[in-house]
Amino acid sequence: MKIVVTSVLVDDQEKALRFYTEKLGFVKKHDVPMGEFRWLTLVSPENAEGTELLLEPDQHPAARPFKQALVEDGIPYTSFGVANIQAEYDRLCAAGVQFTQPPVAMGPVTTAVFDDTCGNLIQIAQQ
């Protein structure tokens, strides 16, 4: 068994697409109209055949309260791996990404947390 698609709940798919591609550097893989919304997935440019990230609309009644509770408690929705967290932090800050936590060493892992502008805190981690 392996993870093929994982998702992040977003308040606006178009805004999320711009943020995740233009700021973070992911690449659009699938963009399939599905009524009011789209099946919109991204991949890492380092692994085009790897796990897809679905930008999933947060329209379910439970989604927004869930996301808000995570943000209020400072809990990231998901985590992305990076090879050099300081370089990635510097690159994203220069691109205008707002961090709620700069890189912090936590034993064998160093993490930082940013606001994805779509209602989520996202962690980057280097092991």
Side-chain angles (χ1 to χ4, degrees):
M1 185 177 305
K2 64 182 181 178
I3 298 171
V4 177
V5 176
T6 188
S7 65
V8 61
L9 295 167
V10 298
D11 56 8
D12 180 320
Q13 286 186 299
E14 190 57 39
K15 180 175 70 172
L17 177 62
R18 286 192 307 273
F19 181 84
Y20 279 80
T21 57
E22 295 171 9
K23 301 286 187 183
L24 301 186
F26 288 104
V27 177
K28 183 167 58 175
K29 180 148 187 180
H30 295 289
D31 188 354
V32 181
M34 300 187 71
E36 182 181 351
F37 302 107
R38 299 147 63 186
W39 180 262
L40 185 55
T41 67
L42 311 174
V43 293
S44 167
E46 300 165 9
N47 189 3
E49 299 306 315
T51 305
E52 295 179 44
L53 178 65
L54 172 64
L55 301 178
E56 187 167 2
D58 65 359
Q59 299 302 303
H60 186 279
R64 289 185 179 180
F66 169 72
K67 289 171 52 182
Q68 184 177 1
L70 291 178
V71 169
E72 288 173 0
D73 288 346
I75 299 171
Y77 187 92
T78 194
S79 181
F80 303 136
V82 297
N84 181 328
I85 197 163
Q86 188 62 53
E88 197 66 21
Y89 174 79
D90 293 343
R91 181 185 75 80
L92 293 174
C93 284
V97 174
Q98 299 296 310
F99 278 80
T100 61
Q101 175 201 302
V104 174
M106 300 179 180
V109 178
T110 301
T111 67
V113 178
F114 62 85
D115 179 345
D116 78 348
T117 72
C118 302
N120 303 293
L121 297 177
I122 304 293
Q123 180 181 72
I124 54 175
Q126 175 188 338
Q127 290 187 328

PDB file of all heavy atoms in Angstrom, residues 30-67:
ATOM      1  N   HIS A  30      -3.363  17.558 -12.435  1.00  0.00           N
ATOM      2  CA  HIS A  30      -4.705  17.329 -12.959  1.00  0.00           C
ATOM      3  C   HIS A  30      -5.594  18.520 -12.631  1.00  0.00           C
ATOM      4  O   HIS A  30      -5.518  19.058 -11.523  1.00  0.00           O
ATOM      5  CB  HIS A  30      -5.334  16.062 -12.357  1.00  0.00           C
ATOM      6  CG  HIS A  30      -4.618  14.799 -12.725  1.00  0.00           C
ATOM      7  ND1 HIS A  30      -4.651  14.256 -13.995  1.00  0.00           N
ATOM      8  CD2 HIS A  30      -3.828  13.985 -12.001  1.00  0.00           C
ATOM      9  CE1 HIS A  30      -3.923  13.153 -14.022  1.00  0.00           C
ATOM     10  NE2 HIS A  30      -3.399  12.968 -12.826  1.00  0.00           N
ATOM     11  N   ASP A  31      -6.412  18.896 -13.584  1.00  0.00           N
ATOM     12  CA  ASP A  31      -7.371  19.977 -13.377  1.00  0.00           C
ATOM     13  C   ASP A  31      -8.637  19.583 -14.131  1.00  0.00           C
ATOM     14  O   ASP A  31      -8.773  19.861 -15.314  1.00  0.00           O
ATOM     15  CB  ASP A  31      -6.792  21.306 -13.882  1.00  0.00           C
ATOM     16  CG  ASP A  31      -7.667  22.489 -13.506  1.00  0.00           C
ATOM     17  OD1 ASP A  31      -8.774  22.281 -12.963  1.00  0.00           O
ATOM     18  OD2 ASP A  31      -7.229  23.625 -13.756  1.00  0.00           O
ATOM     19  N   VAL A  32      -9.527  18.892 -13.432  1.00  0.00           N
ATOM     20  CA  VAL A  32     -10.721  18.319 -14.046  1.00  0.00           C
ATOM     21  C   VAL A  32     -11.953  19.013 -13.472  1.00  0.00           C
ATOM     22  O   VAL A  32     -12.194  18.939 -12.254  1.00  0.00           O
ATOM     23  CB  VAL A  32     -10.804  16.800 -13.765  1.00  0.00           C
ATOM     24  CG1 VAL A  32     -12.045  16.210 -14.426  1.00  0.00           C
ATOM     25  CG2 VAL A  32      -9.536  16.095 -14.216  1.00  0.00           C
ATOM     26  N   PRO A  33     -12.729  19.689 -14.320  1.00  0.00           N
ATOM     27  CA  PRO A  33     -13.960  20.321 -13.832  1.00  0.00           C
ATOM     28  C   PRO A  33     -14.910  19.270 -13.249  1.00  0.00           C
ATOM     29  O   PRO A  33     -15.092  18.205 -13.839  1.00  0.00           O
ATOM     30  CB  PRO A  33     -14.569  20.960 -15.085  1.00  0.00           C
ATOM     31  CG  PRO A  33     -13.451  21.062 -16.064  1.00  0.00           C
ATOM     32  CD  PRO A  33     -12.520  19.919 -15.752  1.00  0.00           C
ATOM     33  N   MET A  34     -15.477  19.611 -12.095  1.00  0.00           N
ATOM     34  CA  MET A  34     -16.423  18.703 -11.440  1.00  0.00           C
ATOM     35  C   MET A  34     -17.554  19.547 -10.869  1.00  0.00           C
ATOM     36  O   MET A  34     -17.614  19.787  -9.671  1.00  0.00           O
ATOM     37  CB  MET A  34     -15.736  17.897 -10.337  1.00  0.00           C
ATOM     38  CG  MET A  34     -14.597  17.036 -10.870  1.00  0.00           C
ATOM     39  SD  MET A  34     -13.895  15.941  -9.649  1.00  0.00           S
ATOM     40  CE  MET A  34     -15.220  14.763  -9.462  1.00  0.00           C
ATOM     41  N   GLY A  35     -18.415  20.034 -11.755  1.00  0.00           N
ATOM     42  CA  GLY A  35     -19.500  20.892 -11.299  1.00  0.00           C
ATOM     43  C   GLY A  35     -18.957  22.224 -10.835  1.00  0.00           C
ATOM     44  O   GLY A  35     -18.178  22.870 -11.537  1.00  0.00           O
ATOM     45  N   GLU A  36     -19.320  22.601  -9.619  1.00  0.00           N
ATOM     46  CA  GLU A  36     -18.900  23.882  -9.051  1.00  0.00           C
ATOM     47  C   GLU A  36     -17.397  23.913  -8.756  1.00  0.00           C
ATOM     48  O   GLU A  36     -16.795  24.977  -8.685  1.00  0.00           O
ATOM     49  CB  GLU A  36     -19.706  24.125  -7.769  1.00  0.00           C
ATOM     50  CG  GLU A  36     -19.433  25.413  -7.077  1.00  0.00           C
ATOM     51  CD  GLU A  36     -20.262  25.565  -5.799  1.00  0.00           C
ATOM     52  OE1 GLU A  36     -21.167  24.739  -5.542  1.00  0.00           O
ATOM     53  OE2 GLU A  36     -19.983  26.518  -5.059  1.00  0.00           O
ATOM     54  N   PHE A  37     -16.793  22.746  -8.563  1.00  0.00           N
ATOM     55  CA  PHE A  37     -15.391  22.672  -8.149  1.00  0.00           C
ATOM     56  C   PHE A  37     -14.566  21.902  -9.167  1.00  0.00           C
ATOM     57  O   PHE A  37     -15.054  21.575 -10.228  1.00  0.00           O
ATOM     58  CB  PHE A  37     -15.291  22.041  -6.751  1.00  0.00           C
ATOM     59  CG  PHE A  37     -16.072  22.798  -5.727  1.00  0.00           C
ATOM     60  CD1 PHE A  37     -17.257  22.288  -5.221  1.00  0.00           C
ATOM     61  CD2 PHE A  37     -15.645  24.039  -5.280  1.00  0.00           C
ATOM     62  CE1 PHE A  37     -17.995  22.998  -4.288  1.00  0.00           C
ATOM     63  CE2 PHE A  37     -16.367  24.759  -4.354  1.00  0.00           C
ATOM     64  CZ  PHE A  37     -17.551  24.236  -3.855  1.00  0.00           C
ATOM     65  N   ARG A  38     -13.316  21.640  -8.845  1.00  0.00           N
ATOM     66  CA  ARG A  38     -12.408  20.940  -9.759  1.00  0.00           C
ATOM     67  C   ARG A  38     -11.643  19.860  -8.996  1.00  0.00           C
ATOM     68  O   ARG A  38     -11.376  20.005  -7.809  1.00  0.00           O
ATOM     69  CB  ARG A  38     -11.374  21.926 -10.324  1.00  0.00           C
ATOM     70  CG  ARG A  38     -12.003  23.030 -11.095  1.00  0.00           C
ATOM     71  CD  ARG A  38     -11.279  24.350 -10.995  1.00  0.00           C
ATOM     72  NE  ARG A  38      -9.937  24.412 -11.510  1.00  0.00           N
ATOM     73  CZ  ARG A  38      -9.160  25.498 -11.357  1.00  0.00           C
ATOM     74  NH1 ARG A  38      -9.597  26.572 -10.733  1.00  0.00           N
ATOM     75  NH2 ARG A  38      -7.948  25.507 -11.829  1.00  0.00           N
ATOM     76  N   TRP A  39     -11.278  18.787  -9.724  1.00  0.00           N
ATOM     77  CA  TRP A  39     -10.315  17.817  -9.205  1.00  0.00           C
ATOM     78  C   TRP A  39      -8.972  18.397  -9.585  1.00  0.00           C
ATOM     79  O   TRP A  39      -8.532  18.327 -10.727  1.00  0.00           O
ATOM     80  CB  TRP A  39     -10.538  16.435  -9.816  1.00  0.00           C
ATOM     81  CG  TRP A  39      -9.572  15.419  -9.306  1.00  0.00           C
ATOM     82  CD1 TRP A  39      -8.418  15.004  -9.923  1.00  0.00           C
ATOM     83  CD2 TRP A  39      -9.637  14.692  -8.080  1.00  0.00           C
ATOM     84  NE1 TRP A  39      -7.771  14.068  -9.153  1.00  0.00           N
ATOM     85  CE2 TRP A  39      -8.503  13.861  -8.000  1.00  0.00           C
ATOM     86  CE3 TRP A  39     -10.552  14.689  -7.022  1.00  0.00           C
ATOM     87  CZ2 TRP A  39      -8.257  13.022  -6.926  1.00  0.00           C
ATOM     88  CZ3 TRP A  39     -10.308  13.845  -5.951  1.00  0.00           C
ATOM     89  CH2 TRP A  39      -9.180  13.026  -5.905  1.00  0.00           C
ATOM     90  N   LEU A  40      -8.328  19.059  -8.602  1.00  0.00           N
ATOM     91  CA  LEU A  40      -7.156  19.875  -8.858  1.00  0.00           C
ATOM     92  C   LEU A  40      -6.009  19.339  -8.017  1.00  0.00           C
ATOM     93  O   LEU A  40      -6.015  19.468  -6.794  1.00  0.00           O
ATOM     94  CB  LEU A  40      -7.494  21.325  -8.476  1.00  0.00           C
ATOM     95  CG  LEU A  40      -6.488  22.419  -8.741  1.00  0.00           C
ATOM     96  CD1 LEU A  40      -6.053  22.462 -10.200  1.00  0.00           C
ATOM     97  CD2 LEU A  40      -7.085  23.759  -8.335  1.00  0.00           C
ATOM     98  N   THR A  41      -5.061  18.698  -8.700  1.00  0.00           N
ATOM     99  CA  THR A  41      -3.947  18.109  -7.963  1.00  0.00           C
ATOM    100  C   THR A  41      -2.618  18.707  -8.422  1.00  0.00           C
ATOM    101  O   THR A  41      -2.475  19.163  -9.559  1.00  0.00           O
ATOM    102  CB  THR A  41      -3.879  16.577  -8.126  1.00  0.00           C
ATOM    103  OG1 THR A  41      -3.555  16.250  -9.469  1.00  0.00           O
ATOM    104  CG2 THR A  41      -5.182  15.922  -7.710  1.00  0.00           C
ATOM    105  N   LEU A  42      -1.674  18.670  -7.503  1.00  0.00           N
ATOM    106  CA  LEU A  42      -0.328  19.188  -7.733  1.00  0.00           C
ATOM    107  C   LEU A  42       0.672  18.097  -7.384  1.00  0.00           C
ATOM    108  O   LEU A  42       0.367  17.188  -6.613  1.00  0.00           O
ATOM    109  CB  LEU A  42      -0.061  20.400  -6.831  1.00  0.00           C
ATOM    110  CG  LEU A  42      -1.111  21.498  -6.800  1.00  0.00           C
ATOM    111  CD1 LEU A  42      -0.748  22.532  -5.750  1.00  0.00           C
ATOM    112  CD2 LEU A  42      -1.248  22.143  -8.162  1.00  0.00           C
ATOM    113  N   VAL A  43       1.862  18.239  -7.947  1.00  0.00           N
ATOM    114  CA  VAL A  43       2.962  17.349  -7.584  1.00  0.00           C
ATOM    115  C   VAL A  43       4.215  18.183  -7.372  1.00  0.00           C
ATOM    116  O   VAL A  43       4.308  19.326  -7.814  1.00  0.00           O
ATOM    117  CB  VAL A  43       3.233  16.278  -8.667  1.00  0.00           C
ATOM    118  CG1 VAL A  43       2.086  15.299  -8.773  1.00  0.00           C
ATOM    119  CG2 VAL A  43       3.536  16.918 -10.007  1.00  0.00           C
ATOM    120  N   SER A  44       5.156  17.571  -6.729  1.00  0.00           N
ATOM    121  CA  SER A  44       6.458  18.201  -6.570  1.00  0.00           C
ATOM    122  C   SER A  44       7.180  18.185  -7.913  1.00  0.00           C
ATOM    123  O   SER A  44       7.151  17.171  -8.614  1.00  0.00           O
ATOM    124  CB  SER A  44       7.280  17.421  -5.538  1.00  0.00           C
ATOM    125  OG  SER A  44       8.632  17.846  -5.589  1.00  0.00           O
ATOM    126  N   PRO A  45       7.864  19.278  -8.288  1.00  0.00           N
ATOM    127  CA  PRO A  45       8.644  19.246  -9.529  1.00  0.00           C
ATOM    128  C   PRO A  45       9.795  18.250  -9.446  1.00  0.00           C
ATOM    129  O   PRO A  45      10.332  17.835 -10.461  1.00  0.00           O
ATOM    130  CB  PRO A  45       9.153  20.687  -9.677  1.00  0.00           C
ATOM    131  CG  PRO A  45       9.101  21.251  -8.308  1.00  0.00           C
ATOM    132  CD  PRO A  45       7.968  20.549  -7.601  1.00  0.00           C
ATOM    133  N   GLU A  46      10.132  17.825  -8.235  1.00  0.00           N
ATOM    134  CA  GLU A  46      11.200  16.845  -8.031  1.00  0.00           C
ATOM    135  C   GLU A  46      10.722  15.416  -8.240  1.00  0.00           C
ATOM    136  O   GLU A  46      11.530  14.502  -8.317  1.00  0.00           O
ATOM    137  CB  GLU A  46      11.767  16.990  -6.614  1.00  0.00           C
ATOM    138  CG  GLU A  46      12.351  18.359  -6.344  1.00  0.00           C
ATOM    139  CD  GLU A  46      12.571  18.609  -4.859  1.00  0.00           C
ATOM    140  OE1 GLU A  46      12.435  17.685  -4.042  1.00  0.00           O
ATOM    141  OE2 GLU A  46      12.868  19.770  -4.530  1.00  0.00           O
ATOM    142  N   ASN A  47       9.379  15.223  -8.293  1.00  0.00           N
ATOM    143  CA  ASN A  47       8.830  13.877  -8.421  1.00  0.00           C
ATOM    144  C   ASN A  47       7.448  13.944  -9.073  1.00  0.00           C
ATOM    145  O   ASN A  47       6.426  13.795  -8.404  1.00  0.00           O
ATOM    146  CB  ASN A  47       8.751  13.210  -7.043  1.00  0.00           C
ATOM    147  CG  ASN A  47       8.403  11.757  -7.121  1.00  0.00           C
ATOM    148  OD1 ASN A  47       8.259  11.188  -8.212  1.00  0.00           O
ATOM    149  ND2 ASN A  47       8.248  11.122  -5.976  1.00  0.00           N
ATOM    150  N   ALA A  48       7.438  14.159 -10.386  1.00  0.00           N
ATOM    151  CA  ALA A  48       6.187  14.343 -11.119  1.00  0.00           C
ATOM    152  C   ALA A  48       5.266  13.136 -11.052  1.00  0.00           C
ATOM    153  O   ALA A  48       4.061  13.254 -11.246  1.00  0.00           O
ATOM    154  CB  ALA A  48       6.487  14.691 -12.571  1.00  0.00           C
ATOM    155  N   GLU A  49       5.807  11.962 -10.777  1.00  0.00           N
ATOM    156  CA  GLU A  49       4.975  10.756 -10.668  1.00  0.00           C
ATOM    157  C   GLU A  49       4.718  10.374  -9.215  1.00  0.00           C
ATOM    158  O   GLU A  49       4.175   9.308  -8.929  1.00  0.00           O
ATOM    159  CB  GLU A  49       5.664   9.596 -11.395  1.00  0.00           C
ATOM    160  CG  GLU A  49       5.861   9.855 -12.886  1.00  0.00           C
ATOM    161  CD  GLU A  49       4.573  10.224 -13.613  1.00  0.00           C
ATOM    162  OE1 GLU A  49       3.552   9.568 -13.384  1.00  0.00           O
ATOM    163  OE2 GLU A  49       4.602  11.198 -14.409  1.00  0.00           O
ATOM    164  N   GLY A  50       5.067  11.260  -8.314  1.00  0.00           N
ATOM    165  CA  GLY A  50       4.910  10.977  -6.892  1.00  0.00           C
ATOM    166  C   GLY A  50       3.519  11.297  -6.374  1.00  0.00           C
ATOM    167  O   GLY A  50       2.570  11.493  -7.143  1.00  0.00           O
ATOM    168  N   THR A  51       3.395  11.356  -5.061  1.00  0.00           N
ATOM    169  CA  THR A  51       2.137  11.639  -4.388  1.00  0.00           C
ATOM    170  C   THR A  51       1.557  12.970  -4.867  1.00  0.00           C
ATOM    171  O   THR A  51       2.270  13.960  -4.952  1.00  0.00           O
ATOM    172  CB  THR A  51       2.351  11.700  -2.866  1.00  0.00           C
ATOM    173  OG1 THR A  51       2.958  10.478  -2.441  1.00  0.00           O
ATOM    174  CG2 THR A  51       1.045  11.921  -2.139  1.00  0.00           C
ATOM    175  N   GLU A  52       0.261  12.938  -5.185  1.00  0.00           N
ATOM    176  CA  GLU A  52      -0.422  14.153  -5.614  1.00  0.00           C
ATOM    177  C   GLU A  52      -1.064  14.832  -4.412  1.00  0.00           C
ATOM    178  O   GLU A  52      -1.582  14.169  -3.516  1.00  0.00           O
ATOM    179  CB  GLU A  52      -1.503  13.815  -6.645  1.00  0.00           C
ATOM    180  CG  GLU A  52      -0.933  13.255  -7.929  1.00  0.00           C
ATOM    181  CD  GLU A  52      -2.002  12.886  -8.939  1.00  0.00           C
ATOM    182  OE1 GLU A  52      -2.944  13.676  -9.125  1.00  0.00           O
ATOM    183  OE2 GLU A  52      -1.882  11.794  -9.524  1.00  0.00           O
ATOM    184  N   LEU A  53      -1.032  16.157  -4.426  1.00  0.00           N
ATOM    185  CA  LEU A  53      -1.690  16.963  -3.400  1.00  0.00           C
ATOM    186  C   LEU A  53      -2.974  17.515  -4.000  1.00  0.00           C
ATOM    187  O   LEU A  53      -2.930  18.296  -4.955  1.00  0.00           O
ATOM    188  CB  LEU A  53      -0.770  18.111  -2.941  1.00  0.00           C
ATOM    189  CG  LEU A  53      -1.372  19.047  -1.905  1.00  0.00           C
ATOM    190  CD1 LEU A  53      -1.626  18.315  -0.586  1.00  0.00           C
ATOM    191  CD2 LEU A  53      -0.445  20.240  -1.675  1.00  0.00           C
ATOM    192  N   LEU A  54      -4.099  17.103  -3.468  1.00  0.00           N
ATOM    193  CA  LEU A  54      -5.411  17.554  -3.932  1.00  0.00           C
ATOM    194  C   LEU A  54      -5.781  18.843  -3.192  1.00  0.00           C
ATOM    195  O   LEU A  54      -5.785  18.873  -1.957  1.00  0.00           O
ATOM    196  CB  LEU A  54      -6.459  16.478  -3.657  1.00  0.00           C
ATOM    197  CG  LEU A  54      -7.923  16.843  -3.908  1.00  0.00           C
ATOM    198  CD1 LEU A  54      -8.173  17.145  -5.382  1.00  0.00           C
ATOM    199  CD2 LEU A  54      -8.829  15.711  -3.415  1.00  0.00           C
ATOM    200  N   LEU A  55      -6.078  19.896  -3.948  1.00  0.00           N
ATOM    201  CA  LEU A  55      -6.576  21.144  -3.359  1.00  0.00           C
ATOM    202  C   LEU A  55      -8.090  20.993  -3.275  1.00  0.00           C
ATOM    203  O   LEU A  55      -8.822  21.266  -4.221  1.00  0.00           O
ATOM    204  CB  LEU A  55      -6.164  22.340  -4.217  1.00  0.00           C
ATOM    205  CG  LEU A  55      -4.661  22.514  -4.415  1.00  0.00           C
ATOM    206  CD1 LEU A  55      -4.368  23.704  -5.325  1.00  0.00           C
ATOM    207  CD2 LEU A  55      -3.934  22.667  -3.076  1.00  0.00           C
ATOM    208  N   GLU A  56      -8.532  20.529  -2.119  1.00  0.00           N
ATOM    209  CA  GLU A  56      -9.919  20.112  -1.942  1.00  0.00           C
ATOM    210  C   GLU A  56     -10.753  21.232  -1.324  1.00  0.00           C
ATOM    211  O   GLU A  56     -10.367  21.781  -0.287  1.00  0.00           O
ATOM    212  CB  GLU A  56      -9.952  18.882  -1.019  1.00  0.00           C
ATOM    213  CG  GLU A  56     -11.306  18.275  -0.898  1.00  0.00           C
ATOM    214  CD  GLU A  56     -11.252  16.892  -0.251  1.00  0.00           C
ATOM    215  OE1 GLU A  56     -10.167  16.436   0.129  1.00  0.00           O
ATOM    216  OE2 GLU A  56     -12.319  16.284  -0.139  1.00  0.00           O
ATOM    217  N   PRO A  57     -11.886  21.570  -1.933  1.00  0.00           N
ATOM    218  CA  PRO A  57     -12.735  22.625  -1.372  1.00  0.00           C
ATOM    219  C   PRO A  57     -13.184  22.282   0.050  1.00  0.00           C
ATOM    220  O   PRO A  57     -13.518  21.135   0.348  1.00  0.00           O
ATOM    221  CB  PRO A  57     -13.942  22.659  -2.326  1.00  0.00           C
ATOM    222  CG  PRO A  57     -13.461  22.028  -3.581  1.00  0.00           C
ATOM    223  CD  PRO A  57     -12.431  21.010  -3.168  1.00  0.00           C
ATOM    224  N   ASP A  58     -13.206  23.294   0.909  1.00  0.00           N
ATOM    225  CA  ASP A  58     -13.590  23.075   2.309  1.00  0.00           C
ATOM    226  C   ASP A  58     -15.060  23.392   2.536  1.00  0.00           C
ATOM    227  O   ASP A  58     -15.423  24.002   3.537  1.00  0.00           O
ATOM    228  CB  ASP A  58     -12.692  23.891   3.252  1.00  0.00           C
ATOM    229  CG  ASP A  58     -12.862  25.388   3.089  1.00  0.00           C
ATOM    230  OD1 ASP A  58     -13.667  25.837   2.233  1.00  0.00           O
ATOM    231  OD2 ASP A  58     -12.192  26.130   3.832  1.00  0.00           O
ATOM    232  N   GLN A  59     -15.903  22.936   1.614  1.00  0.00           N
ATOM    233  CA  GLN A  59     -17.321  23.287   1.667  1.00  0.00           C
ATOM    234  C   GLN A  59     -18.141  22.421   2.627  1.00  0.00           C
ATOM    235  O   GLN A  59     -19.260  22.785   2.971  1.00  0.00           O
ATOM    236  CB  GLN A  59     -17.921  23.187   0.263  1.00  0.00           C
ATOM    237  CG  GLN A  59     -17.253  24.136  -0.715  1.00  0.00           C
ATOM    238  CD  GLN A  59     -17.336  25.588  -0.279  1.00  0.00           C
ATOM    239  OE1 GLN A  59     -18.436  26.106  -0.074  1.00  0.00           O
ATOM    240  NE2 GLN A  59     -16.207  26.242  -0.089  1.00  0.00           N
ATOM    241  N   HIS A  60     -17.603  21.287   3.050  1.00  0.00           N
ATOM    242  CA  HIS A  60     -18.349  20.468   4.007  1.00  0.00           C
ATOM    243  C   HIS A  60     -18.518  21.265   5.307  1.00  0.00           C
ATOM    244  O   HIS A  60     -17.577  21.947   5.739  1.00  0.00           O
ATOM    245  CB  HIS A  60     -17.583  19.161   4.281  1.00  0.00           C
ATOM    246  CG  HIS A  60     -18.364  18.217   5.134  1.00  0.00           C
ATOM    247  ND1 HIS A  60     -18.429  18.333   6.506  1.00  0.00           N
ATOM    248  CD2 HIS A  60     -19.123  17.151   4.789  1.00  0.00           C
ATOM    249  CE1 HIS A  60     -19.197  17.373   6.985  1.00  0.00           C
ATOM    250  NE2 HIS A  60     -19.631  16.638   5.965  1.00  0.00           N
ATOM    251  N   PRO A  61     -19.685  21.203   5.960  1.00  0.00           N
ATOM    252  CA  PRO A  61     -19.921  22.006   7.163  1.00  0.00           C
ATOM    253  C   PRO A  61     -18.894  21.788   8.281  1.00  0.00           C
ATOM    254  O   PRO A  61     -18.650  22.692   9.081  1.00  0.00           O
ATOM    255  CB  PRO A  61     -21.324  21.571   7.623  1.00  0.00           C
ATOM    256  CG  PRO A  61     -21.979  21.032   6.400  1.00  0.00           C
ATOM    257  CD  PRO A  61     -20.883  20.451   5.548  1.00  0.00           C
ATOM    258  N   ALA A  62     -18.286  20.632   8.326  1.00  0.00           N
ATOM    259  CA  ALA A  62     -17.310  20.368   9.390  1.00  0.00           C
ATOM    260  C   ALA A  62     -15.913  20.895   9.051  1.00  0.00           C
ATOM    261  O   ALA A  62     -15.073  21.035   9.941  1.00  0.00           O
ATOM    262  CB  ALA A  62     -17.225  18.866   9.651  1.00  0.00           C
ATOM    263  N   ALA A  63     -15.656  21.157   7.784  1.00  0.00           N
ATOM    264  CA  ALA A  63     -14.298  21.479   7.361  1.00  0.00           C
ATOM    265  C   ALA A  63     -13.782  22.793   7.935  1.00  0.00           C
ATOM    266  O   ALA A  63     -12.672  22.852   8.479  1.00  0.00           O
ATOM    267  CB  ALA A  63     -14.213  21.488   5.837  1.00  0.00           C
ATOM    268  N   ARG A  64     -14.536  23.856   7.792  1.00  0.00           N
ATOM    269  CA  ARG A  64     -14.028  25.162   8.234  1.00  0.00           C
ATOM    270  C   ARG A  64     -13.846  25.245   9.753  1.00  0.00           C
ATOM    271  O   ARG A  64     -12.819  25.756  10.209  1.00  0.00           O
ATOM    272  CB  ARG A  64     -14.902  26.283   7.689  1.00  0.00           C
ATOM    273  CG  ARG A  64     -14.698  26.433   6.185  1.00  0.00           C
ATOM    274  CD  ARG A  64     -15.432  27.576   5.590  1.00  0.00           C
ATOM    275  NE  ARG A  64     -15.125  27.627   4.148  1.00  0.00           N
ATOM    276  CZ  ARG A  64     -15.621  28.524   3.326  1.00  0.00           C
ATOM    277  NH1 ARG A  64     -16.427  29.459   3.772  1.00  0.00           N
ATOM    278  NH2 ARG A  64     -15.296  28.500   2.053  1.00  0.00           N
ATOM    279  N   PRO A  65     -14.812  24.755  10.565  1.00  0.00           N
ATOM    280  CA  PRO A  65     -14.552  24.750  12.014  1.00  0.00           C
ATOM    281  C   PRO A  65     -13.314  23.917  12.389  1.00  0.00           C
ATOM    282  O   PRO A  65     -12.550  24.285  13.282  1.00  0.00           O
ATOM    283  CB  PRO A  65     -15.832  24.149  12.610  1.00  0.00           C
ATOM    284  CG  PRO A  65     -16.888  24.441  11.598  1.00  0.00           C
ATOM    285  CD  PRO A  65     -16.189  24.352  10.266  1.00  0.00           C
ATOM    286  N   PHE A  66     -13.119  22.804  11.703  1.00  0.00           N
ATOM    287  CA  PHE A  66     -11.940  21.961  11.935  1.00  0.00           C
ATOM    288  C   PHE A  66     -10.678  22.742  11.628  1.00  0.00           C
ATOM    289  O   PHE A  66      -9.740  22.791  12.443  1.00  0.00           O
ATOM    290  CB  PHE A  66     -12.041  20.701  11.064  1.00  0.00           C
ATOM    291  CG  PHE A  66     -10.792  19.888  11.008  1.00  0.00           C
ATOM    292  CD1 PHE A  66     -10.357  19.148  12.095  1.00  0.00           C
ATOM    293  CD2 PHE A  66     -10.029  19.850   9.843  1.00  0.00           C
ATOM    294  CE1 PHE A  66      -9.190  18.391  12.038  1.00  0.00           C
ATOM    295  CE2 PHE A  66      -8.874  19.104   9.772  1.00  0.00           C
ATOM    296  CZ  PHE A  66      -8.442  18.383  10.873  1.00  0.00           C
ATOM    297  N   LYS A  67     -10.624  23.367  10.453  1.00  0.00           N
ATOM    298  CA  LYS A  67      -9.445  24.137  10.067  1.00  0.00           C
ATOM    299  C   LYS A  67      -9.199  25.284  11.041  1.00  0.00           C
ATOM    300  O   LYS A  67      -8.067  25.535  11.450  1.00  0.00           O
ATOM    301  CB  LYS A  67      -9.620  24.698   8.649  1.00  0.00           C
ATOM    302  CG  LYS A  67      -9.557  23.668   7.558  1.00  0.00           C
ATOM    303  CD  LYS A  67      -9.945  24.218   6.194  1.00  0.00           C
ATOM    304  CE  LYS A  67      -9.186  25.466   5.837  1.00  0.00           C
ATOM    305  NZ  LYS A  67      -9.605  26.026   4.536  1.00  0.00           N
TER     306      LYS A  67
END
